[in-house]
PDB file of all heavy atoms in Angstrom:
ATOM      1  N   GLU A 214     -15.190  -4.439   6.650  1.00 90.00           N
ATOM      2  CA  GLU A 214     -14.945  -3.662   5.437  1.00 90.00           C
ATOM      3  C   GLU A 214     -15.705  -4.206   4.233  1.00 90.00           C
ATOM      4  O   GLU A 214     -16.053  -3.445   3.336  1.00 90.00           O
ATOM      5  CB  GLU A 214     -13.441  -3.598   5.126  1.00 90.00           C
ATOM      6  CG  GLU A 214     -12.671  -2.637   5.985  1.00 90.00           C
ATOM      7  CD  GLU A 214     -12.230  -3.226   7.324  1.00 90.00           C
ATOM      8  OE1 GLU A 214     -12.549  -4.380   7.627  1.00 90.00           O
ATOM      9  OE2 GLU A 214     -11.563  -2.506   8.078  1.00 90.00           O
ATOM     10  N   LEU A 215     -15.972  -5.510   4.210  1.00 92.00           N
ATOM     11  CA  LEU A 215     -16.728  -6.096   3.100  1.00 92.00           C
ATOM     12  C   LEU A 215     -18.134  -5.496   3.047  1.00 92.00           C
ATOM     13  O   LEU A 215     -18.591  -5.054   1.998  1.00 92.00           O
ATOM     14  CB  LEU A 215     -16.801  -7.620   3.228  1.00 92.00           C
ATOM     15  CG  LEU A 215     -17.603  -8.341   2.147  1.00 92.00           C
ATOM     16  CD1 LEU A 215     -17.016  -8.094   0.769  1.00 92.00           C
ATOM     17  CD2 LEU A 215     -17.659  -9.835   2.445  1.00 92.00           C
ATOM     18  N   GLY A 216     -18.812  -5.443   4.181  1.00 94.00           N
ATOM     19  CA  GLY A 216     -20.147  -4.840   4.241  1.00 94.00           C
ATOM     20  C   GLY A 216     -20.119  -3.360   3.913  1.00 94.00           C
ATOM     21  O   GLY A 216     -21.003  -2.853   3.206  1.00 94.00           O
ATOM     22  N   ILE A 217     -19.105  -2.677   4.401  1.00 96.00           N
ATOM     23  CA  ILE A 217     -18.954  -1.243   4.120  1.00 96.00           C
ATOM     24  C   ILE A 217     -18.749  -1.026   2.620  1.00 96.00           C
ATOM     25  O   ILE A 217     -19.363  -0.143   2.018  1.00 96.00           O
ATOM     26  CB  ILE A 217     -17.788  -0.646   4.936  1.00 96.00           C
ATOM     27  CG1 ILE A 217     -18.161  -0.623   6.418  1.00 96.00           C
ATOM     28  CG2 ILE A 217     -17.405   0.745   4.436  1.00 96.00           C
ATOM     29  CD1 ILE A 217     -17.000  -0.325   7.345  1.00 96.00           C
ATOM     30  N   THR A 218     -17.906  -1.860   2.004  1.00 96.00           N
ATOM     31  CA  THR A 218     -17.634  -1.724   0.578  1.00 96.00           C
ATOM     32  C   THR A 218     -18.887  -2.001  -0.246  1.00 96.00           C
ATOM     33  O   THR A 218     -19.156  -1.303  -1.230  1.00 96.00           O
ATOM     34  CB  THR A 218     -16.478  -2.656   0.151  1.00 96.00           C
ATOM     35  OG1 THR A 218     -15.347  -2.403   0.987  1.00 96.00           O
ATOM     36  CG2 THR A 218     -16.091  -2.418  -1.290  1.00 96.00           C
ATOM     37  N   LYS A 219     -19.668  -2.989   0.148  1.00 97.00           N
ATOM     38  CA  LYS A 219     -20.937  -3.268  -0.545  1.00 97.00           C
ATOM     39  C   LYS A 219     -21.851  -2.055  -0.485  1.00 97.00           C
ATOM     40  O   LYS A 219     -22.501  -1.701  -1.475  1.00 97.00           O
ATOM     41  CB  LYS A 219     -21.634  -4.471   0.079  1.00 97.00           C
ATOM     42  CG  LYS A 219     -21.010  -5.789  -0.276  1.00 97.00           C
ATOM     43  CD  LYS A 219     -21.771  -6.934   0.386  1.00 97.00           C
ATOM     44  CE  LYS A 219     -21.161  -8.276   0.041  1.00 97.00           C
ATOM     45  NZ  LYS A 219     -21.879  -9.386   0.698  1.00 97.00           N
ATOM     46  N   ASN A 220     -21.906  -1.389   0.676  1.00 97.00           N
ATOM     47  CA  ASN A 220     -22.726  -0.179   0.818  1.00 97.00           C
ATOM     48  C   ASN A 220     -22.194   0.959  -0.038  1.00 97.00           C
ATOM     49  O   ASN A 220     -22.971   1.710  -0.634  1.00 97.00           O
ATOM     50  CB  ASN A 220     -22.807   0.250   2.282  1.00 97.00           C
ATOM     51  CG  ASN A 220     -23.691  -0.655   3.104  1.00 97.00           C
ATOM     52  OD1 ASN A 220     -24.580  -1.320   2.582  1.00 97.00           O
ATOM     53  ND2 ASN A 220     -23.442  -0.705   4.393  1.00 97.00           N
ATOM     54  N   ILE A 221     -20.875   1.101  -0.112  1.00 97.00           N
ATOM     55  CA  ILE A 221     -20.270   2.137  -0.948  1.00 97.00           C
ATOM     56  C   ILE A 221     -20.660   1.914  -2.410  1.00 97.00           C
ATOM     57  O   ILE A 221     -21.088   2.854  -3.095  1.00 97.00           O
ATOM     58  CB  ILE A 221     -18.724   2.156  -0.791  1.00 97.00           C
ATOM     59  CG1 ILE A 221     -18.361   2.671   0.604  1.00 97.00           C
ATOM     60  CG2 ILE A 221     -18.065   3.000  -1.882  1.00 97.00           C
ATOM     61  CD1 ILE A 221     -16.906   2.447   0.992  1.00 97.00           C
ATOM     62  N   ILE A 222     -20.544   0.682  -2.885  1.00 97.00           N
ATOM     63  CA  ILE A 222     -20.904   0.354  -4.269  1.00 97.00           C
ATOM     64  C   ILE A 222     -22.383   0.663  -4.522  1.00 97.00           C
ATOM     65  O   ILE A 222     -22.748   1.239  -5.551  1.00 97.00           O
ATOM     66  CB  ILE A 222     -20.608  -1.130  -4.586  1.00 97.00           C
ATOM     67  CG1 ILE A 222     -19.114  -1.445  -4.457  1.00 97.00           C
ATOM     68  CG2 ILE A 222     -21.145  -1.519  -5.964  1.00 97.00           C
ATOM     69  CD1 ILE A 222     -18.213  -0.746  -5.430  1.00 97.00           C
ATOM     70  N   ALA A 223     -23.244   0.305  -3.570  1.00 96.00           N
ATOM     71  CA  ALA A 223     -24.687   0.565  -3.719  1.00 96.00           C
ATOM     72  C   ALA A 223     -24.972   2.063  -3.793  1.00 96.00           C
ATOM     73  O   ALA A 223     -25.749   2.517  -4.647  1.00 96.00           O
ATOM     74  CB  ALA A 223     -25.455  -0.064  -2.564  1.00 96.00           C
ATOM     75  N   ILE A 224     -24.334   2.849  -2.944  1.00 97.00           N
ATOM     76  CA  ILE A 224     -24.552   4.305  -2.926  1.00 97.00           C
ATOM     77  C   ILE A 224     -24.033   4.945  -4.217  1.00 97.00           C
ATOM     78  O   ILE A 224     -24.693   5.789  -4.819  1.00 97.00           O
ATOM     79  CB  ILE A 224     -23.895   4.940  -1.679  1.00 97.00           C
ATOM     80  CG1 ILE A 224     -24.627   4.486  -0.410  1.00 97.00           C
ATOM     81  CG2 ILE A 224     -23.872   6.464  -1.785  1.00 97.00           C
ATOM     82  CD1 ILE A 224     -23.878   4.778   0.877  1.00 97.00           C
ATOM     83  N   VAL A 225     -22.841   4.521  -4.633  1.00 97.00           N
ATOM     84  CA  VAL A 225     -22.263   5.055  -5.869  1.00 97.00           C
ATOM     85  C   VAL A 225     -23.154   4.700  -7.058  1.00 97.00           C
ATOM     86  O   VAL A 225     -23.462   5.552  -7.890  1.00 97.00           O
ATOM     87  CB  VAL A 225     -20.819   4.528  -6.075  1.00 97.00           C
ATOM     88  CG1 VAL A 225     -20.317   4.838  -7.478  1.00 97.00           C
ATOM     89  CG2 VAL A 225     -19.884   5.130  -5.034  1.00 97.00           C
ATOM     90  N   SER A 226     -23.605   3.450  -7.127  1.00 96.00           N
ATOM     91  CA  SER A 226     -24.469   3.007  -8.233  1.00 96.00           C
ATOM     92  C   SER A 226     -25.758   3.816  -8.280  1.00 96.00           C
ATOM     93  O   SER A 226     -26.210   4.232  -9.348  1.00 96.00           O
ATOM     94  CB  SER A 226     -24.802   1.520  -8.079  1.00 96.00           C
ATOM     95  OG  SER A 226     -23.645   0.739  -8.186  1.00 96.00           O
ATOM     96  N   GLU A 227     -26.333   4.047  -7.121  1.00 95.00           N
ATOM     97  CA  GLU A 227     -27.593   4.796  -7.037  1.00 95.00           C
ATOM     98  C   GLU A 227     -27.421   6.240  -7.498  1.00 95.00           C
ATOM     99  O   GLU A 227     -28.301   6.802  -8.139  1.00 95.00           O
ATOM    100  CB  GLU A 227     -28.090   4.767  -5.587  1.00 95.00           C
ATOM    101  CG  GLU A 227     -29.439   5.392  -5.374  1.00 95.00           C
ATOM    102  CD  GLU A 227     -29.869   5.289  -3.919  1.00 95.00           C
ATOM    103  OE1 GLU A 227     -29.752   4.198  -3.340  1.00 95.00           O
ATOM    104  OE2 GLU A 227     -30.311   6.312  -3.367  1.00 95.00           O
ATOM    105  N   ASN A 228     -26.282   6.827  -7.195  1.00 95.00           N
ATOM    106  CA  ASN A 228     -26.056   8.238  -7.514  1.00 95.00           C
ATOM    107  C   ASN A 228     -25.438   8.472  -8.890  1.00 95.00           C
ATOM    108  O   ASN A 228     -25.354   9.612  -9.334  1.00 95.00           O
ATOM    109  CB  ASN A 228     -25.195   8.892  -6.434  1.00 95.00           C
ATOM    110  CG  ASN A 228     -25.974   9.120  -5.167  1.00 95.00           C
ATOM    111  OD1 ASN A 228     -26.746  10.063  -5.067  1.00 95.00           O
ATOM    112  ND2 ASN A 228     -25.833   8.222  -4.204  1.00 95.00           N
ATOM    113  N   VAL A 234     -19.408   4.234 -14.048  1.00 97.00           N
ATOM    114  CA  VAL A 234     -18.528   4.926 -13.094  1.00 97.00           C
ATOM    115  C   VAL A 234     -17.077   4.696 -13.491  1.00 97.00           C
ATOM    116  O   VAL A 234     -16.648   3.570 -13.721  1.00 97.00           O
ATOM    117  CB  VAL A 234     -18.789   4.440 -11.651  1.00 97.00           C
ATOM    118  CG1 VAL A 234     -17.841   5.112 -10.669  1.00 97.00           C
ATOM    119  CG2 VAL A 234     -20.240   4.697 -11.262  1.00 97.00           C
ATOM    120  N   VAL A 237     -13.915   6.560  -8.173  1.00 98.00           N
ATOM    121  CA  VAL A 237     -14.552   6.864  -6.891  1.00 98.00           C
ATOM    122  C   VAL A 237     -13.467   7.378  -5.963  1.00 98.00           C
ATOM    123  O   VAL A 237     -12.424   6.737  -5.794  1.00 98.00           O
ATOM    124  CB  VAL A 237     -15.219   5.605  -6.275  1.00 98.00           C
ATOM    125  CG1 VAL A 237     -15.799   5.927  -4.906  1.00 98.00           C
ATOM    126  CG2 VAL A 237     -16.290   5.052  -7.198  1.00 98.00           C
ATOM    127  N   LEU A 238     -13.704   8.545  -5.373  1.00 98.00           N
ATOM    128  CA  LEU A 238     -12.789   9.112  -4.388  1.00 98.00           C
ATOM    129  C   LEU A 238     -13.442   8.982  -3.025  1.00 98.00           C
ATOM    130  O   LEU A 238     -14.552   9.477  -2.803  1.00 98.00           O
ATOM    131  CB  LEU A 238     -12.483  10.581  -4.688  1.00 98.00           C
ATOM    132  CG  LEU A 238     -11.619  11.327  -3.666  1.00 98.00           C
ATOM    133  CD1 LEU A 238     -10.252  10.666  -3.502  1.00 98.00           C
ATOM    134  CD2 LEU A 238     -11.462  12.779  -4.077  1.00 98.00           C
ATOM    135  N   LEU A 239     -12.756   8.294  -2.140  1.00 97.00           N
ATOM    136  CA  LEU A 239     -13.276   8.001  -0.814  1.00 97.00           C
ATOM    137  C   LEU A 239     -12.377   8.641   0.236  1.00 97.00           C
ATOM    138  O   LEU A 239     -11.150   8.601   0.110  1.00 97.00           O
ATOM    139  CB  LEU A 239     -13.272   6.474  -0.654  1.00 97.00           C
ATOM    140  CG  LEU A 239     -14.018   5.820   0.462  1.00 97.00           C
ATOM    141  CD1 LEU A 239     -15.508   6.090   0.346  1.00 97.00           C
ATOM    142  CD2 LEU A 239     -13.759   4.315   0.437  1.00 97.00           C
ATOM    143  N   GLU A 240     -12.969   9.265   1.248  1.00 97.00           N
ATOM    144  CA  GLU A 240     -12.208   9.775   2.386  1.00 97.00           C
ATOM    145  C   GLU A 240     -12.403   8.827   3.553  1.00 97.00           C
ATOM    146  O   GLU A 240     -13.543   8.513   3.915  1.00 97.00           O
ATOM    147  CB  GLU A 240     -12.687  11.172   2.794  1.00 97.00           C
ATOM    148  CG  GLU A 240     -12.276  12.266   1.867  1.00 97.00           C
ATOM    149  CD  GLU A 240     -12.667  13.649   2.369  1.00 97.00           C
ATOM    150  OE1 GLU A 240     -13.430  13.754   3.356  1.00 97.00           O
ATOM    151  OE2 GLU A 240     -12.230  14.629   1.758  1.00 97.00           O
ATOM    152  N   VAL A 241     -11.283   8.366   4.117  1.00 97.00           N
ATOM    153  CA  VAL A 241     -11.326   7.472   5.267  1.00 97.00           C
ATOM    154  C   VAL A 241     -10.458   8.060   6.363  1.00 97.00           C
ATOM    155  O   VAL A 241      -9.269   8.297   6.166  1.00 97.00           O
ATOM    156  CB  VAL A 241     -10.826   6.051   4.898  1.00 97.00           C
ATOM    157  CG1 VAL A 241     -10.829   5.152   6.119  1.00 97.00           C
ATOM    158  CG2 VAL A 241     -11.669   5.444   3.788  1.00 97.00           C
ATOM    159  N   ILE A 247     -11.454   1.696  10.061  1.00 94.00           N
ATOM    160  CA  ILE A 247     -11.667   1.115   8.739  1.00 94.00           C
ATOM    161  C   ILE A 247     -10.302   1.046   8.054  1.00 94.00           C
ATOM    162  O   ILE A 247      -9.583   2.044   7.994  1.00 94.00           O
ATOM    163  CB  ILE A 247     -12.656   1.952   7.905  1.00 94.00           C
ATOM    164  CG1 ILE A 247     -14.024   1.942   8.580  1.00 94.00           C
ATOM    165  CG2 ILE A 247     -12.740   1.443   6.476  1.00 94.00           C
ATOM    166  CD1 ILE A 247     -15.001   2.917   8.014  1.00 94.00           C
ATOM    167  N   ILE A 252     -10.640  -2.166   2.139  1.00 97.00           N
ATOM    168  CA  ILE A 252     -11.640  -1.589   1.234  1.00 97.00           C
ATOM    169  C   ILE A 252     -11.173  -1.772  -0.211  1.00 97.00           C
ATOM    170  O   ILE A 252     -11.942  -2.178  -1.078  1.00 97.00           O
ATOM    171  CB  ILE A 252     -11.886  -0.087   1.534  1.00 97.00           C
ATOM    172  CG1 ILE A 252     -12.466   0.116   2.927  1.00 97.00           C
ATOM    173  CG2 ILE A 252     -12.758   0.554   0.460  1.00 97.00           C
ATOM    174  CD1 ILE A 252     -13.910  -0.253   3.105  1.00 97.00           C
ATOM    175  N   LYS A 253      -9.894  -1.486  -0.469  1.00 96.00           N
ATOM    176  CA  LYS A 253      -9.338  -1.653  -1.820  1.00 96.00           C
ATOM    177  C   LYS A 253      -9.445  -3.107  -2.269  1.00 96.00           C
ATOM    178  O   LYS A 253      -9.773  -3.387  -3.415  1.00 96.00           O
ATOM    179  CB  LYS A 253      -7.875  -1.200  -1.859  1.00 96.00           C
ATOM    180  CG  LYS A 253      -7.687   0.288  -1.793  1.00 96.00           C
ATOM    181  CD  LYS A 253      -6.223   0.655  -1.796  1.00 96.00           C
ATOM    182  CE  LYS A 253      -6.050   2.142  -1.596  1.00 96.00           C
ATOM    183  NZ  LYS A 253      -4.637   2.534  -1.500  1.00 96.00           N
ATOM    184  N   PHE A 256     -13.159  -3.866  -3.088  1.00 97.00           N
ATOM    185  CA  PHE A 256     -13.817  -2.990  -4.058  1.00 97.00           C
ATOM    186  C   PHE A 256     -14.087  -3.678  -5.399  1.00 97.00           C
ATOM    187  O   PHE A 256     -15.221  -3.670  -5.877  1.00 97.00           O
ATOM    188  CB  PHE A 256     -12.994  -1.714  -4.261  1.00 97.00           C
ATOM    189  CG  PHE A 256     -13.668  -0.677  -5.102  1.00 97.00           C
ATOM    190  CD1 PHE A 256     -14.649   0.142  -4.563  1.00 97.00           C
ATOM    191  CD2 PHE A 256     -13.337  -0.517  -6.439  1.00 97.00           C
ATOM    192  CE1 PHE A 256     -15.279   1.111  -5.333  1.00 97.00           C
ATOM    193  CE2 PHE A 256     -13.950   0.451  -7.215  1.00 97.00           C
ATOM    194  CZ  PHE A 256     -14.932   1.256  -6.660  1.00 97.00           C
ATOM    195  N   CYS A 259     -16.692  -6.510  -5.054  1.00 96.00           N
ATOM    196  CA  CYS A 259     -18.055  -6.018  -4.834  1.00 96.00           C
ATOM    197  C   CYS A 259     -18.619  -5.298  -6.063  1.00 96.00           C
ATOM    198  O   CYS A 259     -19.835  -5.249  -6.242  1.00 96.00           O
ATOM    199  CB  CYS A 259     -18.094  -5.090  -3.624  1.00 96.00           C
ATOM    200  SG  CYS A 259     -17.773  -5.910  -2.058  1.00 96.00           S
ATOM    201  N   ALA A 260     -17.744  -4.736  -6.877  1.00 96.00           N
ATOM    202  CA  ALA A 260     -18.192  -3.962  -8.039  1.00 96.00           C
ATOM    203  C   ALA A 260     -18.544  -4.842  -9.236  1.00 96.00           C
ATOM    204  O   ALA A 260     -19.190  -4.366 -10.178  1.00 96.00           O
ATOM    205  CB  ALA A 260     -17.118  -2.959  -8.441  1.00 96.00           C
ATOM    206  N   VAL A 265     -20.190   0.077 -11.523  1.00 97.00           N
ATOM    207  CA  VAL A 265     -18.939   0.508 -10.885  1.00 97.00           C
ATOM    208  C   VAL A 265     -17.774  -0.403 -11.285  1.00 97.00           C
ATOM    209  O   VAL A 265     -16.613  -0.064 -11.080  1.00 97.00           O
ATOM    210  CB  VAL A 265     -19.106   0.548  -9.343  1.00 97.00           C
ATOM    211  CG1 VAL A 265     -17.871   1.112  -8.666  1.00 97.00           C
ATOM    212  CG2 VAL A 265     -20.326   1.372  -8.942  1.00 97.00           C
ATOM    213  N   LEU A 270     -10.523   3.184  -7.706  1.00 98.00           N
ATOM    214  CA  LEU A 270     -10.823   3.614  -6.341  1.00 98.00           C
ATOM    215  C   LEU A 270      -9.624   4.371  -5.809  1.00 98.00           C
ATOM    216  O   LEU A 270      -8.508   3.864  -5.779  1.00 98.00           O
ATOM    217  CB  LEU A 270     -11.114   2.414  -5.438  1.00 98.00           C
ATOM    218  CG  LEU A 270     -11.282   2.738  -3.953  1.00 98.00           C
ATOM    219  CD1 LEU A 270     -12.508   3.625  -3.719  1.00 98.00           C
ATOM    220  CD2 LEU A 270     -11.382   1.464  -3.132  1.00 98.00           C
ATOM    221  N   ILE A 272      -8.350   6.427  -2.427  1.00 98.00           N
ATOM    222  CA  ILE A 272      -8.670   6.644  -1.012  1.00 98.00           C
ATOM    223  C   ILE A 272      -7.754   7.710  -0.443  1.00 98.00           C
ATOM    224  O   ILE A 272      -6.529   7.609  -0.526  1.00 98.00           O
ATOM    225  CB  ILE A 272      -8.553   5.338  -0.199  1.00 98.00           C
ATOM    226  CG1 ILE A 272      -9.560   4.309  -0.702  1.00 98.00           C
ATOM    227  CG2 ILE A 272      -8.761   5.617   1.284  1.00 98.00           C
ATOM    228  CD1 ILE A 272      -9.520   2.974   0.009  1.00 98.00           C
ATOM    229  N   LEU A 312     -15.847   8.726   6.933  1.00 96.00           N
ATOM    230  CA  LEU A 312     -16.001   7.746   5.866  1.00 96.00           C
ATOM    231  C   LEU A 312     -16.967   8.408   4.898  1.00 96.00           C
ATOM    232  O   LEU A 312     -18.172   8.433   5.108  1.00 96.00           O
ATOM    233  CB  LEU A 312     -16.556   6.414   6.351  1.00 96.00           C
ATOM    234  CG  LEU A 312     -16.820   5.397   5.234  1.00 96.00           C
ATOM    235  CD1 LEU A 312     -15.556   5.113   4.434  1.00 96.00           C
ATOM    236  CD2 LEU A 312     -17.412   4.128   5.778  1.00 96.00           C
ATOM    237  N   LYS A 313     -16.398   9.013   3.840  1.00 97.00           N
ATOM    238  CA  LYS A 313     -17.202   9.789   2.894  1.00 97.00           C
ATOM    239  C   LYS A 313     -16.891   9.389   1.464  1.00 97.00           C
ATOM    240  O   LYS A 313     -15.733   9.190   1.107  1.00 97.00           O
ATOM    241  CB  LYS A 313     -16.870  11.280   2.991  1.00 97.00           C
ATOM    242  CG  LYS A 313     -17.325  11.988   4.195  1.00 97.00           C
ATOM    243  CD  LYS A 313     -16.971  13.466   4.054  1.00 97.00           C
ATOM    244  CE  LYS A 313     -17.050  14.185   5.364  1.00 97.00           C
ATOM    245  NZ  LYS A 313     -16.511  15.536   5.280  1.00 97.00           N
ATOM    246  N   ILE A 314     -17.942   9.311   0.675  1.00 97.00           N
ATOM    247  CA  ILE A 314     -17.750   9.227  -0.764  1.00 97.00           C
ATOM    248  C   ILE A 314     -17.640  10.679  -1.207  1.00 97.00           C
ATOM    249  O   ILE A 314     -18.619  11.410  -1.240  1.00 97.00           O
ATOM    250  CB  ILE A 314     -18.923   8.507  -1.452  1.00 97.00           C
ATOM    251  CG1 ILE A 314     -19.055   7.078  -0.920  1.00 97.00           C
ATOM    252  CG2 ILE A 314     -18.727   8.526  -2.971  1.00 97.00           C
ATOM    253  CD1 ILE A 314     -20.322   6.387  -1.310  1.00 97.00           C
ATOM    254  N   LYS A 315     -16.442  11.101  -1.474  1.00 97.00           N
ATOM    255  CA  LYS A 315     -16.175  12.512  -1.754  1.00 97.00           C
ATOM    256  C   LYS A 315     -16.490  12.881  -3.203  1.00 97.00           C
ATOM    257  O   LYS A 315     -16.966  13.966  -3.485  1.00 97.00           O
ATOM    258  CB  LYS A 315     -14.712  12.807  -1.436  1.00 97.00           C
ATOM    259  CG  LYS A 315     -14.330  14.246  -1.488  1.00 97.00           C
ATOM    260  CD  LYS A 315     -14.909  15.005  -0.334  1.00 97.00           C
ATOM    261  CE  LYS A 315     -14.397  16.419  -0.334  1.00 97.00           C
ATOM    262  NZ  LYS A 315     -15.068  17.249   0.624  1.00 97.00           N
ATOM    263  N   GLU A 316     -16.233  11.938  -4.126  1.00 96.00           N
ATOM    264  CA  GLU A 316     -16.382  12.267  -5.540  1.00 96.00           C
ATOM    265  C   GLU A 316     -16.660  10.995  -6.346  1.00 96.00           C
ATOM    266  O   GLU A 316     -16.113   9.936  -6.046  1.00 96.00           O
ATOM    267  CB  GLU A 316     -15.070  12.896  -6.014  1.00 96.00           C
ATOM    268  CG  GLU A 316     -15.060  13.528  -7.341  1.00 96.00           C
ATOM    269  CD  GLU A 316     -13.706  14.168  -7.606  1.00 96.00           C
ATOM    270  OE1 GLU A 316     -13.346  15.133  -6.914  1.00 96.00           O
ATOM    271  OE2 GLU A 316     -13.009  13.671  -8.511  1.00 96.00           O
ATOM    272  N   ILE A 317     -17.519  11.138  -7.334  1.00 96.00           N
ATOM    273  CA  ILE A 317     -17.798  10.059  -8.275  1.00 96.00           C
ATOM    274  C   ILE A 317     -17.607  10.619  -9.676  1.00 96.00           C
ATOM    275  O   ILE A 317     -18.199  11.632 -10.016  1.00 96.00           O
ATOM    276  CB  ILE A 317     -19.249   9.547  -8.139  1.00 96.00           C
ATOM    277  CG1 ILE A 317     -19.531   9.034  -6.729  1.00 96.00           C
ATOM    278  CG2 ILE A 317     -19.529   8.463  -9.161  1.00 96.00           C
ATOM    279  CD1 ILE A 317     -21.011   8.784  -6.461  1.00 96.00           C
TER     280      ILE A 317
END
Side-chain angles (χ1 to χ4, degrees):
E214 283 85 358
L215 178 60
I217 291 168
T218 306
K219 285 180 180 179
N220 287 336
I221 290 167
I222 298 295
I224 292 166
V225 168
S226 296
E227 185 179 313
N228 286 281
V234 178
V237 177
L238 175 59
L239 194 63
E240 286 185 350
V241 178
I247 296 169
I252 297 286
K253 287 178 185 176
F256 187 79
C259 293
V265 185
L270 173 64
I272 297 179
L312 176 58
K313 289 183 196 171
I314 300 168
K315 188 72 174 171
E316 191 177 294
I317 301 168

